[in-house]
Amino acid sequence: MASIDLEKMLEKVKSTQWTLSDIDWDAPGRELVTAEQWPKLKEFMADLMWIEHVGARGFAAMSKKAPTQTLRDMYSLFHAEEQRHANAEMALMKRWGMLDGDLPKPNTNLRLVIKWLDRYADDMPFYILGAVIPMLEVALDGALCTFLLETVDDPVCHQAFELINGDEARHLGVGFSVMEAQGINKNVIELAQMAARFFDPRLLLGGLAYLPLINKMRDNIVKLGLPEEKLYAAMRKFNQIGGRTADGRRNPWFQIVRFHGRNAIDRNKKWFHVPIDAMVKMTDQIPEKSLPNVPSWIYELTSEPTTSN
């Protein structure tokens, strides 16, 4: 698979924009969400919505650091698209009677990750964000969203995710192409310098928030009924596409993210999961008053179609 033409992709992204008002949120079908599905689906949708906004914040940071104007413009559009995905998922929650207020409350681990992103994302090197974001996109596109469509019969959900998945596919195409480019023409010293950023204290602090979140999300979606094979398939996709060329495999952050993903999905890797599970338990004990305030930018989210474009 050759690297994509970014100029043509930018034009395609511009030509495929959509808004929440393109969907009839009052169409029949909401009753197809069963009473048995409803409680777990409510938690799943809230987490999914916040993960979309985590991706949006990552794209916002990348739009400031991208090496070309084409990529800066692309990531600005991706930032807006991820916000739109979060808005659409909130509109589905509203349709299904799952919104207790204006916004679903992020869980403790998401709140810690959001706070870290708010403070440090703009300081992270482009190549780190460029490796982490495709992994999140693969999980969303290849596992979570696919599973949702297989288990929820509401046709409005299918219509919304047809649009969301089209965006995610373009995000992945760009993400893998950019990740591959980070390994091109780098000598051993430059590659070692890229890898050494793993020990940046700010990044290590982010890991303390990120690792428990991924473990908790992994277990939550399996409890909802996601076959573990779906997770393995998503990981294989990341490995196959991200490592399809020698340049891609030379990117040390592809290797670091691949290592984490491969171990995070496999519960048999006790050496990996036991300490992170302990971190999950610790974060669950953090009292509400000690958690960071939710940043004001989250209030850009809305389930109302009139403000989505």
Side-chain angles (χ1 to χ4, degrees), residues 97-280:
M98 295 175 177
L99 283 185
D100 301 320
D102 293 333
L103 288 171
K105 187 177 177 181
N107 67 44
T108 298
N109 298 98
L110 275 163
R111 219 145 131 190
L112 294 171
V113 166
I114 290 167
K115 180 63 178 179
W116 183 89
L117 282 166
D118 205 39
R119 185 168 182 180
Y120 295 117
D122 292 338
D123 297 328
M124 289 297 103
F126 179 75
Y127 53 78
I128 294 179
L129 295 170
V132 173
I133 295 292
M135 171 61 84
L136 291 175
E137 295 279 353
V138 163
L140 283 171
D141 182 54
L144 303 187
C145 295
T146 301
F147 171 69
L148 187 65
L149 294 178
E150 290 173 353
T151 54
V152 176
D153 293 328
D154 185 348
V156 172
C157 177
H158 286 250
Q159 183 186 359
F161 275 93
E162 182 178 352
L163 294 167
I164 290 170
N165 287 342
D167 293 342
E168 299 288 4
R170 289 181 283 276
H171 296 184
L172 276 173
V174 173
F176 281 121
S177 180
V178 167
M179 188 164 58
E180 179 182 301
Q182 298 304 305
I184 296 176
N185 297 328
K186 296 283 197 311
N187 59 40
V188 173
I189 293 175
E190 289 171 321
L191 293 171
Q193 288 172 337
M194 288 171 66
R197 290 302 294 265
F198 179 83
F199 299 102
D200 184 319
R202 294 166 297 181
L203 191 60
L204 293 174
L205 186 62
L208 292 176
Y210 175 77
L211 293 175
L213 171 65
I214 298 302
N215 260 35
K216 180 180 278 190
M217 288 288 294
R218 181 227 178 270
D219 290 347
N220 283 349
I221 59 178
V222 169
K223 287 176 185 174
L224 187 64
L226 177 74
E228 292 197 22
E229 176 54 33
K230 297 279 187 183
L231 295 174
Y232 289 112
M235 191 62 231
R236 284 196 297 271
K237 182 176 181 180
F238 182 81
N239 291 345
Q240 290 166 359
I241 303 178
R244 67 184 180 260
T245 66
D247 289 322
R249 293 189 296 274
R250 290 177 76 237
N251 181 341
W253 280 92
F254 163 71
Q255 298 293 346
I256 290 168
V257 173
R258 182 178 73 161
F259 174 82
H260 168 251
R262 188 169 54 210
N263 288 289
I265 63 173
D266 188 354
R267 268 285 172 193
N268 293 319
K269 302 290 179 64
K270 301 294 184 186
W271 64 269
F272 180 87
H273 284 278
V274 168
I276 298 177
D277 286 343
M279 293 166 65
V280 172

